[in-house]
């Protein structure tokens, strides 16, 4: 990469879209997180970086489209965050990302930033694994569709353990881990963590960001 000033990255989007979580999931320590673009009565944040990461909280609205129309497509990545809330399968989130990409004329990546951030910073503890193994063969997979179903006392006597697991891992990750362990109970923790990281969708986004970053660096340091 050429020597010289590093490209500036701004992470922006609506309030509660998950900007901070996306930044942590990508390990963008030096990236600038802007104020929300949809603050009533407040001016839009100043967007003057070399690269932009725009975070959508599962869908776009008029404020998103207004701001995105002003950003250069070759320097903008859109994150369709909270992809686990879109439909019931990852394919639903991928299809939604493609629809948004066509409508916005921008690259859109479906991501579950909470899961990606957790796999980057945390590990599956022995207690986590014990709880997961205890329920890997649960007869009704629908018990992972909602937090109250997963932590229901009617499932088993380990309610506190399930609540503890849910406090550290998003429900989508727990569901993926249970499915993986049901198919192969011998999976070690490190492999299971890698599977969860892949399931977050963060790697394609990270690869695309790295490519755009190198292009931005070349523009700054020809």
């Amino acid at each position: 990469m050429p020597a010289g000033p590093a490209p500036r990255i701004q992470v922006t989007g609506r309030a509660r879209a998950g900007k901070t979580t996306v930044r942590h999931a990508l390990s963008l320590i030096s990236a600038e997180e802007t104020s929300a673009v949809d603050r009533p009565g407040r001016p839009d944040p100043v967007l003057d970086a070399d690269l932009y990461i725009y975070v959508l909280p599962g869908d776009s609205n008029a404020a998103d489209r207004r701001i995105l129309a002003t950003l250069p497509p070759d320097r903008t990545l859109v994150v369709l965050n909270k992809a686990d809330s879109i439909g019931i399968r990852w394919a639903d989130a991928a299809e939604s990302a493609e629809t948004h990409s066509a409508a916005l004329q921008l690259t859109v990546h479906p991501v579950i930033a909470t899961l990606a951030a957790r796999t980057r910073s945390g590990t599956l503890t022995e207690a986590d694994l014990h709880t997961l193994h205890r329920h890997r063969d649960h007869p009704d997979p629908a018990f992972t569709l909602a937090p109250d179903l997963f932590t229901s006392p009617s499932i088993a006597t380990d309610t506190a353990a399930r609540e503890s697991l849910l406090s550290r891992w998003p429900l989508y990750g727990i569901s993926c881990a249970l499915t993986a362990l049901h198919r192969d109970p011998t999976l070690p923790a490190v492999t299971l963590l890698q599977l969860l990281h892949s399931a977050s969708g963060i790697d394609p986004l990270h690869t695309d960001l790295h490519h755009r970053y190198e292009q931005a660096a070349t523009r700054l340091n020809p």
Side-chain angles (χ1 to χ4, degrees), residues 126-213:
E126 286 299 321
D128 291 338
L129 290 172
H130 186 65
T131 302
L132 289 168
H133 275 290
R134 188 184 299 122
H135 297 285
R136 69 173 189 251
D137 298 321
H138 194 280
D140 183 9
F143 87 119
T144 59
L145 290 179
D148 59 336
L149 293 176
F150 181 71
T151 58
S152 173
S154 65
I155 290 177
T157 59
D158 66 340
T159 302
R162 281 176 281 125
E163 290 176 343
S164 178
L165 181 66
L166 189 60
S167 71
R168 293 190 301 279
W169 293 93
L171 192 56
Y172 181 82
I174 293 173
S175 178
C176 291
L178 289 171
T179 299
L181 289 172
H182 176 72
R183 293 176 178 175
D184 184 0
T186 67
L187 285 174
V190 63
T191 301
L192 195 56
L193 194 67
Q194 291 170 348
L195 289 173
L196 294 182
H197 182 77
S198 178
S200 73
I202 199 70
D203 284 339
L205 171 61
H206 190 271
T207 299
D208 197 358
L209 175 62
H210 180 72
H211 177 65
R212 306 276 185 120
Y213 188 92

Coordinates of all heavy atoms in Angstrom, one line a residue, residues 126-213:
E126 N -16.8 -23.0 28.4 CA -17.2 -24.3 28.7 C -18.7 -24.3 29.1 O -19.4 -25.2 28.7 CB -16.4 -24.9 29.8 CG -15.0 -25.3 29.4 CD -14.9 -26.4 28.3 OE1 -15.8 -27.3 28.4 OE2 -14.1 -26.3 27.4
A127 N -19.1 -23.3 29.8 CA -20.5 -23.2 30.2 C -21.4 -23.0 29.0 O -22.5 -23.6 28.9 CB -20.7 -22.0 31.2
D128 N -21.0 -22.2 28.0 CA -21.7 -22.0 26.8 C -21.9 -23.3 26.1 O -23.0 -23.7 25.6 CB -21.0 -21.0 25.9 CG -21.0 -19.6 26.4 OD1 -21.8 -19.3 27.2 OD2 -20.1 -18.8 25.9
L129 N -20.8 -24.0 25.9 CA -20.8 -25.3 25.2 C -21.7 -26.3 25.9 O -22.4 -27.1 25.2 CB -19.4 -25.9 25.0 CG -18.5 -25.1 24.1 CD1 -17.0 -25.6 24.2 CD2 -19.0 -25.2 22.6
H130 N -21.6 -26.4 27.2 CA -22.4 -27.3 28.0 C -23.9 -27.1 27.7 O -24.7 -28.0 27.5 CB -22.1 -27.2 29.5 CG -22.8 -28.2 30.3 ND1 -22.5 -29.6 30.2 CD2 -23.7 -28.1 31.3 CE1 -23.3 -30.2 31.1 NE2 -24.0 -29.4 31.7
T131 N -24.3 -25.8 27.8 CA -25.7 -25.4 27.5 C -26.1 -25.8 26.1 O -27.2 -26.3 25.9 CB -25.9 -23.9 27.8 OG1 -25.5 -23.6 29.2 CG2 -27.4 -23.6 27.6
L132 N -25.3 -25.5 25.1 CA -25.6 -25.7 23.7 C -25.7 -27.2 23.5 O -26.7 -27.7 22.9 CB -24.5 -25.2 22.8 CG -24.4 -23.7 22.7 CD1 -23.1 -23.2 22.0 CD2 -25.6 -23.2 21.9
H133 N -24.8 -28.0 24.1 CA -24.9 -29.5 23.9 C -26.1 -30.1 24.5 O -26.8 -31.0 24.0 CB -23.6 -30.2 24.5 CG -22.5 -30.2 23.5 ND1 -22.5 -31.0 22.4 CD2 -21.3 -29.5 23.5 CE1 -21.4 -30.8 21.7 NE2 -20.6 -29.9 22.4
R134 N -26.5 -29.5 25.7 CA -27.7 -30.0 26.4 C -29.0 -29.8 25.5 O -29.9 -30.6 25.6 CB -27.9 -29.2 27.7 CG -29.0 -29.8 28.6 CD -29.2 -28.9 29.8 NE -28.0 -28.9 30.6 CZ -27.4 -27.7 31.0 NH1 -27.9 -26.6 30.5 NH2 -26.3 -27.8 31.7
H135 N -29.0 -28.8 24.6 CA -30.2 -28.6 23.8 C -30.0 -28.8 22.3 O -30.9 -28.4 21.5 CB -30.7 -27.1 24.1 CG -31.1 -26.9 25.5 ND1 -32.3 -27.4 26.0 CD2 -30.4 -26.3 26.5 CE1 -32.3 -27.0 27.3 NE2 -31.2 -26.4 27.6
R136 N -28.9 -29.4 21.9 CA -28.6 -29.6 20.5 C -29.6 -30.5 19.8 O -29.8 -30.4 18.6 CB -27.2 -30.1 20.3 CG -27.0 -31.5 20.7 CD -25.6 -32.1 20.4 NE -25.5 -33.5 20.6 CZ -24.8 -34.0 21.6 NH1 -24.1 -33.2 22.4 NH2 -24.8 -35.3 21.8
D137 N -30.3 -31.4 20.5 CA -31.2 -32.3 19.9 C -32.7 -31.9 20.3 O -33.5 -32.8 20.4 CB -30.9 -33.7 20.3 CG -29.5 -34.2 19.8 OD1 -29.2 -33.8 18.7 OD2 -28.8 -34.9 20.5
H138 N -32.9 -30.7 20.6 CA -34.3 -30.3 21.0 C -35.2 -30.6 19.9 O -35.0 -30.4 18.7 CB -34.3 -28.8 21.3 CG -35.5 -28.4 22.0 ND1 -36.7 -28.2 21.4 CD2 -35.8 -28.1 23.3 CE1 -37.7 -27.8 22.3 NE2 -37.1 -27.7 23.5
P139 N -36.3 -31.3 20.2 CA -37.3 -31.8 19.2 C -38.0 -30.7 18.4 O -38.5 -30.9 17.3 CB -38.3 -32.6 20.0 CG -38.2 -32.0 21.4 CD -36.8 -31.6 21.6
D140 N -38.1 -29.4 19.0 CA -38.8 -28.4 18.3 C -37.8 -27.2 18.0 O -37.5 -26.4 18.9 CB -39.9 -27.9 19.1 CG -40.7 -26.8 18.4 OD1 -40.5 -26.5 17.2 OD2 -41.6 -26.2 19.0
P141 N -37.2 -27.1 16.8 CA -36.3 -26.0 16.5 C -36.9 -24.6 16.6 O -36.1 -23.6 16.7 CB -35.8 -26.3 15.1 CG -36.9 -27.1 14.5 CD -37.5 -28.0 15.6
A142 N -38.2 -24.5 16.7 CA -38.8 -23.2 16.8 C -38.5 -22.5 18.1 O -38.8 -21.4 18.3 CB -40.3 -23.4 16.6
F143 N -38.0 -23.3 19.1 CA -37.7 -22.7 20.4 C -36.6 -21.6 20.3 O -36.4 -20.9 21.3 CB -37.4 -23.7 21.4 CG -35.9 -24.2 21.6 CD1 -35.2 -24.0 22.7 CD2 -35.3 -24.8 20.5 CE1 -33.9 -24.4 22.9 CE2 -34.0 -25.2 20.6 CZ -33.3 -25.0 21.8
T144 N -35.9 -21.5 19.2 CA -34.9 -20.5 19.0 C -35.4 -19.3 18.2 O -34.6 -18.4 17.7 CB -33.6 -21.0 18.3 OG1 -34.0 -21.6 17.0 CG2 -33.0 -22.1 19.2
L145 N -36.7 -19.2 17.9 CA -37.3 -18.2 17.1 C -37.4 -16.9 17.9 O -37.5 -15.8 17.3 CB -38.6 -18.6 16.5 CG -38.6 -19.7 15.4 CD1 -40.0 -20.0 14.9 CD2 -37.7 -19.2 14.3
A146 N -37.5 -16.9 19.2 CA -37.7 -15.7 20.0 C -37.1 -15.9 21.4 O -37.0 -17.1 21.9 CB -39.2 -15.4 20.2
P147 N -36.5 -14.8 22.0 CA -35.9 -15.0 23.3 C -36.7 -15.6 24.3 O -36.3 -16.4 25.1 CB -35.5 -13.5 23.6 CG -35.4 -12.8 22.3 CD -36.4 -13.5 21.4
D148 N -38.0 -15.2 24.4 CA -38.9 -15.8 25.4 C -39.1 -17.3 25.2 O -39.4 -18.0 26.2 CB -40.2 -15.0 25.5 CG -41.0 -15.0 24.2 OD1 -40.4 -15.2 23.1 OD2 -42.2 -14.9 24.2
L149 N -39.1 -17.7 24.0 CA -39.3 -19.2 23.8 C -38.0 -19.9 24.2 O -38.1 -21.0 24.8 CB -39.5 -19.4 22.3 CG -40.9 -19.0 21.7 CD1 -40.9 -19.2 20.2 CD2 -42.0 -19.6 22.4
F150 N -36.8 -19.3 23.9 CA -35.6 -20.0 24.2 C -35.3 -20.1 25.7 O -34.8 -21.0 26.2 CB -34.4 -19.2 23.5 CG -33.1 -19.9 23.8 CD1 -32.7 -21.1 23.2 CD2 -32.2 -19.3 24.6 CE1 -31.5 -21.7 23.5 CE2 -30.9 -19.8 24.9 CZ -30.6 -21.0 24.3
T151 N -35.8 -19.0 26.4 CA -35.6 -19.0 27.9 C -36.8 -19.5 28.7 O -36.8 -19.4 29.9 CB -35.2 -17.6 28.3 OG1 -36.3 -16.7 28.0 CG2 -33.9 -17.1 27.7
S152 N -37.8 -20.1 28.0 CA -39.0 -20.5 28.7 C -38.6 -21.6 29.8 O -37.9 -22.6 29.4 CB -40.0 -21.1 27.7 OG -41.1 -21.7 28.4
P153 N -39.1 -21.5 31.0 CA -38.9 -22.5 32.0 C -39.5 -23.9 31.6 O -39.1 -24.9 32.2 CB -39.6 -22.0 33.3 CG -39.7 -20.5 33.0 CD -39.9 -20.3 31.5
S154 N -40.4 -23.9 30.7 CA -41.1 -25.2 30.3 C -40.1 -26.1 29.5 O -40.4 -27.3 29.3 CB -42.3 -24.9 29.4 OG -42.0 -24.2 28.2
I155 N -39.0 -25.5 29.0 CA -38.1 -26.3 28.1 C -37.3 -27.2 29.0 O -37.2 -28.4 28.7 CB -37.2 -25.3 27.3 CG1 -38.0 -24.6 26.3 CG2 -36.0 -26.1 26.7 CD1 -37.2 -23.6 25.5
A156 N -36.7 -26.7 30.0 CA -35.9 -27.5 30.9 C -35.6 -26.8 32.2 O -36.1 -25.6 32.4 CB -34.5 -27.9 30.2
T157 N -34.9 -27.4 33.1 CA -34.6 -26.7 34.4 C -33.5 -25.8 34.4 O -33.2 -25.1 35.4 CB -34.4 -27.8 35.5 OG1 -33.2 -28.6 35.1 CG2 -35.6 -28.7 35.6
D158 N -32.8 -25.7 33.2 CA -31.6 -24.8 33.2 C -31.9 -23.4 32.6 O -31.1 -22.9 31.8 CB -30.5 -25.5 32.3 CG -30.9 -25.6 30.8 OD1 -32.1 -25.5 30.6 OD2 -30.0 -25.8 30.0
T159 N -33.0 -22.9 33.1 CA -33.4 -21.5 32.6 C -32.3 -20.5 32.7 O -32.0 -19.7 31.8 CB -34.7 -21.1 33.3 OG1 -35.7 -22.0 33.0 CG2 -35.1 -19.7 32.7
A160 N -31.7 -20.5 33.9 CA -30.6 -19.5 34.2 C -29.5 -19.7 33.2 O -28.9 -18.7 32.8 CB -30.2 -19.6 35.6
A161 N -29.1 -20.9 32.9 CA -28.0 -21.1 32.0 C -28.4 -20.6 30.6 O -27.5 -20.0 29.9 CB -27.7 -22.6 31.9
R162 N -29.6 -20.8 30.1 CA -30.0 -20.3 28.8 C -30.1 -18.8 28.8 O -29.7 -18.2 27.8 CB -31.4 -21.0 28.4 CG -31.2 -22.4 27.9 CD -32.6 -23.0 27.6 NE -33.2 -23.5 28.9 CZ -34.4 -23.2 29.3 NH1 -35.2 -22.3 28.5 NH2 -35.0 -23.6 30.4
E163 N -30.5 -18.2 29.9 CA -30.6 -16.8 30.0 C -29.1 -16.2 29.9 O -28.9 -15.2 29.3 CB -31.3 -16.3 31.2 CG -32.8 -16.6 31.2 CD -33.4 -16.2 32.5 OE1 -32.7 -16.1 33.6 OE2 -34.7 -16.1 32.6
S164 N -28.2 -16.9 30.6 CA -26.8 -16.4 30.6 C -26.2 -16.5 29.2 O -25.5 -15.6 28.7 CB -26.0 -17.3 31.6 OG -24.7 -16.9 31.6
L165 N -26.5 -17.6 28.5 CA -26.0 -17.8 27.1 C -26.6 -16.7 26.2 O -25.8 -16.1 25.4 CB -26.4 -19.2 26.6 CG -26.0 -19.5 25.2 CD1 -24.5 -19.7 25.1 CD2 -26.7 -20.8 24.7
L166 N -27.8 -16.4 26.4 CA -28.5 -15.4 25.5 C -28.0 -14.0 25.8 O -28.0 -13.1 25.0 CB -30.0 -15.4 25.7 CG -30.9 -14.6 24.8 CD1 -30.6 -15.0 23.3 CD2 -32.3 -14.7 25.1
S167 N -27.5 -13.8 27.0 CA -26.9 -12.4 27.4 C -25.6 -12.2 26.7 O -25.2 -11.0 26.6 CB -26.8 -12.3 28.9 OG -25.7 -13.1 29.4
R168 N -24.9 -13.2 26.2 CA -23.6 -13.1 25.6 C -23.7 -13.3 24.1 O -22.8 -12.8 23.4 CB -22.6 -14.1 26.2 CG -22.3 -13.8 27.7 CD -21.1 -14.6 28.2 NE -21.4 -16.1 28.1 CZ -22.1 -16.7 29.0 NH1 -22.6 -16.1 30.0 NH2 -22.3 -18.0 28.8
W169 N -24.6 -14.1 23.6 CA -24.7 -14.4 22.2 C -26.0 -14.1 21.6 O -27.1 -14.4 22.2 CB -24.4 -15.9 22.0 CG -23.0 -16.3 22.3 CD1 -22.5 -16.7 23.5 CD2 -21.8 -16.1 21.5 NE1 -21.1 -16.9 23.5 CE2 -20.7 -16.5 22.2 CE3 -21.6 -15.7 20.2 CZ2 -19.4 -16.5 21.7 CZ3 -20.4 -15.7 19.6 CH2 -19.3 -16.1 20.4
P170 N -26.1 -13.5 20.4 CA -27.4 -13.3 19.8 C -28.1 -14.6 19.5 O -27.5 -15.6 19.2 CB -27.1 -12.5 18.5 CG -25.6 -12.8 18.2 CD -25.0 -13.0 19.6
L171 N -29.4 -14.5 19.4 CA -30.2 -15.7 19.3 C -29.9 -16.4 17.9 O -29.9 -17.7 17.9 CB -31.7 -15.4 19.3 CG -32.7 -16.6 19.5 CD1 -32.4 -17.5 20.7 CD2 -34.1 -16.0 19.6
Y172 N -29.6 -15.7 16.9 CA -29.3 -16.3 15.6 C -28.1 -17.1 15.7 O -28.0 -18.2 15.2 CB -29.1 -15.2 14.5 CG -28.8 -15.7 13.2 CD1 -29.8 -16.2 12.3 CD2 -27.5 -15.8 12.7 CE1 -29.5 -16.7 11.1 CE2 -27.2 -16.3 11.5 CZ -28.2 -16.7 10.6 OH -27.9 -17.2 9.4
G173 N -27.1 -16.6 16.4 CA -25.8 -17.4 16.6 C -26.1 -18.6 17.4 O -25.5 -19.7 17.1
I174 N -26.9 -18.6 18.4 CA -27.2 -19.7 19.2 C -27.9 -20.8 18.3 O -27.6 -22.0 18.4 CB -28.2 -19.4 20.4 CG1 -27.4 -18.5 21.4 CG2 -28.7 -20.6 21.1 CD1 -28.2 -17.9 22.5
S175 N -28.8 -20.3 17.5 CA -29.5 -21.2 16.6 C -28.6 -21.9 15.6 O -28.6 -23.1 15.4 CB -30.6 -20.5 15.8 OG -31.3 -21.3 14.9
C176 N -27.6 -21.1 15.1 CA -26.6 -21.7 14.2 C -25.7 -22.7 14.9 O -25.4 -23.8 14.4 CB -25.7 -20.6 13.6 SG -26.6 -19.5 12.4
A177 N -25.4 -22.4 16.1 CA -24.5 -23.3 16.9 C -25.2 -24.6 17.2 O -24.6 -25.7 17.1 CB -24.1 -22.6 18.2
L178 N -26.5 -24.5 17.6 CA -27.3 -25.7 17.9 C -27.4 -26.6 16.6 O -27.3 -27.8 16.7 CB -28.7 -25.3 18.4 CG -28.7 -24.7 19.8 CD1 -30.1 -24.2 20.1 CD2 -28.3 -25.8 20.9
T179 N -27.6 -26.0 15.5 CA -27.8 -26.8 14.2 C -26.5 -27.5 13.9 O -26.5 -28.6 13.5 CB -28.2 -25.8 13.1 OG1 -29.4 -25.2 13.3 CG2 -28.2 -26.6 11.8
A180 N -25.3 -26.7 14.1 CA -24.0 -27.3 13.8 C -23.7 -28.5 14.7 O -23.2 -29.6 14.3 CB -23.0 -26.3 13.9
L181 N -24.0 -28.3 16.0 CA -23.7 -29.4 17.0 C -24.7 -30.6 16.8 O -24.3 -31.7 17.1 CB -23.8 -28.8 18.4 CG -22.7 -27.8 18.8 CD1 -23.0 -27.2 20.1 CD2 -21.4 -28.6 18.8
H182 N -25.9 -30.3 16.4 CA -26.8 -31.4 16.1 C -26.3 -32.3 15.0 O -26.4 -33.5 15.1 CB -28.2 -30.8 15.7 CG -29.2 -31.9 15.3 ND1 -29.8 -32.7 16.3 CD2 -29.7 -32.2 14.1 CE1 -30.6 -33.6 15.7 NE2 -30.6 -33.3 14.3
R183 N -25.7 -31.7 14.0 CA -25.1 -32.4 12.9 C -23.8 -33.1 13.2 O -23.5 -34.2 12.7 CB -24.9 -31.5 11.7 CG -26.3 -31.0 11.1 CD -26.1 -30.1 10.0 NE -27.3 -29.6 9.4 CZ -27.5 -28.7 8.4 NH1 -26.4 -28.1 8.0 NH2 -28.6 -28.4 8.0
D184 N -23.0 -32.4 14.1 CA -21.7 -32.9 14.4 C -21.4 -32.6 15.9 O -20.8 -31.5 16.1 CB -20.6 -32.4 13.5 CG -19.2 -33.0 13.8 OD1 -19.1 -33.9 14.7 OD2 -18.3 -32.7 13.1
P185 N -21.8 -33.4 16.8 CA -21.6 -33.1 18.3 C -20.1 -33.0 18.7 O -19.8 -32.5 19.8 CB -22.2 -34.3 19.0 CG -23.2 -34.9 18.0 CD -22.5 -34.7 16.6
T186 N -19.2 -33.4 17.8 CA -17.8 -33.4 18.1 C -17.1 -32.1 17.8 O -15.8 -32.0 18.0 CB -17.0 -34.6 17.4 OG1 -17.0 -34.4 16.0 CG2 -17.7 -35.9 17.7
L187 N -17.8 -31.2 17.2 CA -17.1 -29.9 16.8 C -16.4 -29.2 18.0 O -17.1 -29.0 19.0 CB -18.2 -29.0 16.3 CG -18.7 -29.2 14.8 CD1 -19.8 -28.3 14.5 CD2 -17.6 -29.1 13.8
P188 N -15.2 -28.9 17.9 CA -14.5 -28.2 19.0 C -14.9 -26.7 19.0 O -15.5 -26.2 18.0 CB -13.0 -28.3 18.6 CG -13.0 -28.5 17.1 CD -14.3 -29.2 16.8
A189 N -14.7 -26.0 20.1 CA -15.1 -24.7 20.3 C -14.6 -23.7 19.2 O -15.3 -22.9 18.7 CB -14.7 -24.2 21.7
V190 N -13.3 -23.9 18.8 CA -12.7 -23.0 17.9 C -13.4 -23.1 16.5 O -13.6 -22.1 15.8 CB -11.2 -23.3 17.8 CG1 -10.9 -24.7 17.2 CG2 -10.5 -22.3 16.9
T191 N -13.7 -24.4 16.1 CA -14.4 -24.6 14.8 C -15.8 -24.0 14.9 O -16.3 -23.4 13.9 CB -14.5 -26.1 14.5 OG1 -13.1 -26.6 14.4 CG2 -15.1 -26.3 13.1
L192 N -16.5 -24.2 16.0 CA -17.8 -23.6 16.1 C -17.8 -22.1 16.1 O -18.7 -21.5 15.5 CB -18.4 -24.1 17.5 CG -19.9 -23.9 17.7 CD1 -20.7 -24.6 16.6 CD2 -20.3 -24.5 19.0
L193 N -16.8 -21.5 16.7 CA -16.6 -20.0 16.6 C -16.4 -19.6 15.2 O -16.9 -18.5 14.8 CB -15.5 -19.6 17.5 CG -15.4 -18.1 17.9 CD1 -16.6 -17.7 18.7 CD2 -14.1 -17.8 18.6
Q194 N -15.6 -20.3 14.4 CA -15.4 -20.0 13.0 C -16.7 -20.0 12.2 O -16.9 -19.2 11.4 CB -14.3 -20.9 12.4 CG -12.9 -20.7 13.0 CD -11.9 -21.7 12.6 OE1 -12.3 -22.8 12.1 NE2 -10.7 -21.5 12.8
L195 N -17.5 -21.0 12.5 CA -18.8 -21.2 11.8 C -19.7 -20.0 12.1 O -20.4 -19.5 11.2 CB -19.4 -22.5 12.2 CG -18.8 -23.8 11.7 CD1 -19.5 -25.0 12.3 CD2 -18.9 -23.8 10.2
L196 N -19.7 -19.6 13.4 CA -20.5 -18.5 13.8 C -20.0 -17.2 13.1 O -20.8 -16.3 12.7 CB -20.6 -18.3 15.3 CG -21.2 -19.5 16.0 CD1 -21.2 -19.2 17.5 CD2 -22.6 -19.7 15.6
H197 N -18.7 -17.0 13.0 CA -18.2 -15.8 12.4 C -18.6 -15.8 10.9 O -19.0 -14.7 10.4 CB -16.6 -15.9 12.5 CG -16.0 -14.6 11.9 ND1 -16.0 -13.4 12.6 CD2 -15.3 -14.5 10.8 CE1 -15.3 -12.5 11.8 NE2 -14.9 -13.1 10.7
S198 N -18.5 -16.9 10.3 CA -18.9 -17.0 8.9 C -20.4 -16.7 8.7 O -20.8 -16.0 7.8 CB -18.6 -18.4 8.3 OG -19.0 -18.5 6.9
A199 N -21.2 -17.2 9.6 CA -22.7 -17.0 9.6 C -23.1 -15.5 9.8 O -24.2 -15.1 9.4 CB -23.3 -17.9 10.6
S200 N -22.2 -14.7 10.3 CA -22.5 -13.3 10.5 C -22.5 -12.5 9.3 O -23.0 -11.4 9.2 CB -21.5 -12.7 11.5 OG -20.2 -12.5 10.9
G201 N -21.9 -13.0 8.2 CA -21.8 -12.3 6.9 C -20.7 -11.2 6.9 O -20.7 -10.5 5.9
I202 N -19.9 -11.1 7.9 CA -19.0 -10.0 8.0 C -17.8 -10.2 7.0 O -17.2 -9.2 6.6 CB -18.4 -9.9 9.4 CG1 -17.8 -8.5 9.7 CG2 -17.4 -11.0 9.8 CD1 -18.8 -7.4 9.7
D203 N -17.4 -11.4 6.6 CA -16.2 -11.5 5.8 C -16.3 -10.9 4.4 O -15.4 -10.2 4.0 CB -15.8 -13.0 5.7 CG -15.2 -13.5 7.0 OD1 -14.6 -12.7 7.8 OD2 -15.2 -14.8 7.3
P204 N -17.4 -11.1 3.7 CA -17.5 -10.5 2.4 C -17.4 -8.9 2.5 O -16.8 -8.3 1.7 CB -18.8 -10.9 1.8 CG -19.1 -12.2 2.5 CD -18.5 -12.1 3.9
L205 N -18.1 -8.4 3.5 CA -18.0 -7.0 3.8 C -16.6 -6.5 4.0 O -16.1 -5.5 3.5 CB -18.9 -6.6 4.9 CG -18.8 -5.1 5.4 CD1 -19.2 -4.1 4.3 CD2 -19.7 -4.9 6.7
H206 N -15.9 -7.3 4.9 CA -14.5 -6.9 5.2 C -13.6 -6.9 4.0 O -12.7 -6.1 3.8 CB -14.0 -7.9 6.3 CG -12.7 -7.4 6.9 ND1 -11.5 -7.8 6.3 CD2 -12.3 -6.7 7.9 CE1 -10.5 -7.3 7.0 NE2 -11.0 -6.6 8.0
T207 N -13.8 -8.0 3.1 CA -13.0 -8.1 1.9 C -13.2 -6.9 1.0 O -12.3 -6.3 0.4 CB -13.3 -9.4 1.2 OG1 -13.0 -10.5 2.1 CG2 -12.5 -9.5 -0.1
D208 N -14.5 -6.6 0.8 CA -14.9 -5.4 -0.1 C -14.3 -4.1 0.5 O -13.8 -3.3 -0.2 CB -16.4 -5.4 -0.2 CG -16.8 -4.5 -1.4 OD1 -16.0 -3.9 -2.1 OD2 -18.0 -4.4 -1.6
L209 N -14.4 -4.0 1.8 CA -13.9 -2.7 2.4 C -12.4 -2.6 2.2 O -11.8 -1.6 1.9 CB -14.2 -2.7 3.9 CG -13.6 -1.6 4.8 CD1 -14.2 -0.2 4.3 CD2 -13.9 -1.8 6.2
H210 N -11.7 -3.7 2.4 CA -10.2 -3.7 2.2 C -9.8 -3.3 0.8 O -8.9 -2.5 0.6 CB -9.6 -5.1 2.5 CG -8.1 -5.2 2.4 ND1 -7.3 -4.6 3.3 CD2 -7.4 -5.8 1.5 CE1 -6.0 -4.8 2.9 NE2 -6.1 -5.5 1.8
H211 N -10.6 -3.8 -0.2 CA -10.3 -3.5 -1.6 C -10.6 -2.0 -1.8 O -9.8 -1.3 -2.4 CB -11.2 -4.3 -2.5 CG -11.1 -4.0 -3.9 ND1 -10.0 -4.2 -4.6 CD2 -12.0 -3.5 -4.8 CE1 -10.2 -3.9 -5.9 NE2 -11.4 -3.4 -6.0
R212 N -11.7 -1.5 -1.3 CA -12.0 -0.1 -1.5 C -11.0 0.8 -0.7 O -10.6 1.9 -1.2 CB -13.4 0.2 -0.9 CG -14.5 -0.6 -1.5 CD -15.0 -0.1 -2.8 NE -16.2 -0.9 -3.2 CZ -17.4 -0.4 -3.4 NH1 -17.6 0.9 -3.2 NH2 -18.4 -1.2 -3.7
Y213 N -10.5 0.3 0.4 CA -9.5 1.1 1.2 C -8.2 1.2 0.4 O -7.6 2.3 0.3 CB -9.2 0.4 2.5 CG -8.3 1.2 3.4 CD1 -8.9 2.0 4.4 CD2 -7.0 1.0 3.4 CE1 -8.1 2.7 5.3 CE2 -6.1 1.7 4.3 CZ -6.7 2.6 5.2 OH -5.9 3.3 6.1

